[in-house]
Amino acid sequence: MSTDALPVIAAVDGSAHSWEALDWAVGEAERGGLPLLIVHVRPHTPRAEEERGLREAEELLARAVLRVSGIAPELPTSTLTPLDFPSAALVSLSRDASLVVVGSRGLGGFRSLMTGSDSLATASMARCPVVVVHTGRTDESGAEQPGTFPDVVAGVAADESSGAVLDFAFEAAAARPGARLRLVHGWTMFSSMLSGGPVFDSEAAAETAERALAELTAGRSEKYPEVEVVREPVRGSASRTLVTASATAALTVVGRRRGGESLGLGLSPVAQTTVTHALGPVAVVPC
């Protein structure tokens, strides 16, 4: 996924979750031909402890670089250890990044540098897409089994507001040979009525949702002919389908609206449920 060679940022804090997020970020940077920036956010501490904190941060980043060199020795890699709150630092850095990758949980307690709340806050406010890497789908050696999770799944609205989500999802699927793109759209009779569709005929409403998805993806399917697209309009909320699909997907993609961050409106209920309960990596795309 190229964005003028802006880096993929991987946030690490020494937890197992952050190491898995780093591994995922390495693969994504390699796949997109992008540099990798490893970030360890140092918390504010009393001045007497700053030197020790910096030393520990440098040691952690050295371990991270060594890990990356073992996976992708040719990948351009740099490090950064800002002094700030985790989500604030990552949101600021996201202005000059193509992607931010975080673990679903961190070390926990007062020393956590990427707790669940920090991951959620970063995904809600970042200027670029954020991938929250949920763990638990690895083999005994700790590596994700290749080819086991081929599909990219995206939750979309059947209108132009999903443009950024569709662009990201199509590109993600195209970068993974053999991956299908499953497009999940939740609809209700009320939403059908609001969009000028059928009001009482549920079968007609489902067909309308299917047609809307087909129209929405037509141009992108021409651009990415190698990507097999599966359209899945589901009655009701799409969150249950997305969470279930995330267990066997290479990546699940949801959108968040721009402009509502200061009011806590960055993530819709569907997006927040998916990010919170997913069983695999979830990309949150500003749109």
Side-chain angles (χ1 to χ4, degrees):
M1 300 175 186
S2 57
T3 309
D4 298 328
L6 293 176
V8 172
I9 292 177
V12 299
D13 67 359
S15 67
H17 295 274
S18 75
W19 292 132
E20 294 199 21
L22 175 61
D23 293 348
W24 196 95
V26 169
E28 198 64 18
E30 277 200 304
R31 192 176 288 114
L34 299 170
L36 178 70
L37 174 60
I38 308 172
V39 176
H40 174 69
V41 184
R42 290 181 291 139
H44 293 279
T45 58
R47 180 167 298 182
E49 299 180 16
E50 284 185 4
E51 184 176 346
R52 186 185 69 178
L54 178 58
R55 184 173 62 252
E56 291 177 348
E58 291 173 343
E59 292 172 353
L60 175 62
L61 289 173
R63 297 206 311 271
V65 170
L66 184 62
R67 186 183 183 99
V68 172
S69 66
I71 302 171
E74 302 300 322
L75 181 65
T77 303
S78 56
T79 63
L80 187 65
T81 176
L83 185 65
D84 204 342
F85 295 102
S87 59
L90 294 173
V91 168
S92 178
L93 291 169
S94 72
R95 295 183 175 91
D96 298 305
S98 63
L99 189 69
V100 174
V101 183
V102 298
S104 57
R105 294 196 302 277
L107 290 171
F110 291 106
R111 296 192 60 197
S112 173
L113 299 184
M114 187 43 62
T115 63
S117 59
D118 284 325
S119 298
L120 197 61
T122 302
S124 300
M125 297 185 290
R127 300 298 182 90
C128 70
V130 174
V131 173
V132 180
V133 179
H134 293 264
T135 58
R137 302 191 318 182
T138 56
D139 61 21
E140 292 181 357
S141 68
E144 186 175 286
Q145 301 174 41
T148 306
F149 312 112
D151 290 350
V152 173
V153 181
V156 298
D159 56 40
E160 65 279 359
S161 67
S162 291
V165 171
L166 286 167
D167 290 341
F168 187 95
F170 265 95
E171 194 167 347
R176 294 166 169 81
R180 298 184 309 167
L181 176 56
R182 296 174 55 190
L183 299 177
V184 179
H185 165 62
W187 64 272
T188 64
M189 294 306 299
F190 183 67
S191 66
S192 176
M193 178 187 70
L194 290 179
S195 63
V199 178
F200 301 109
D201 188 336
S202 60
E203 289 187 7
E207 291 173 359
T208 299
E210 173 74 30
R211 285 197 301 272
L213 282 177
E215 293 170 2
L216 197 63
T217 58
R220 293 175 178 87
S221 292
E222 293 176 3
K223 182 178 180 181
Y224 300 99
E226 72 277 21
V227 176
E228 178 186 352
V229 179
V230 180
R231 302 176 186 88
E232 301 182 26
V234 295
R235 185 168 185 174
S237 173
S239 56
R240 181 186 295 273
T241 301
L242 291 170
V243 170
T244 301
S246 71
T248 55
L251 183 64
T252 302
V253 186
V254 295
R256 71 162 176 85
R257 48 188 175 268
R258 296 180 186 267
E261 295 89 345
S262 61
L263 300 176
L265 300 176
L267 294 181
S268 68
V270 169
Q272 182 154 341
T273 299
T274 304
V275 171
T276 303
H277 298 288
L279 302 173
V282 179
V284 180
V285 180
C287 56

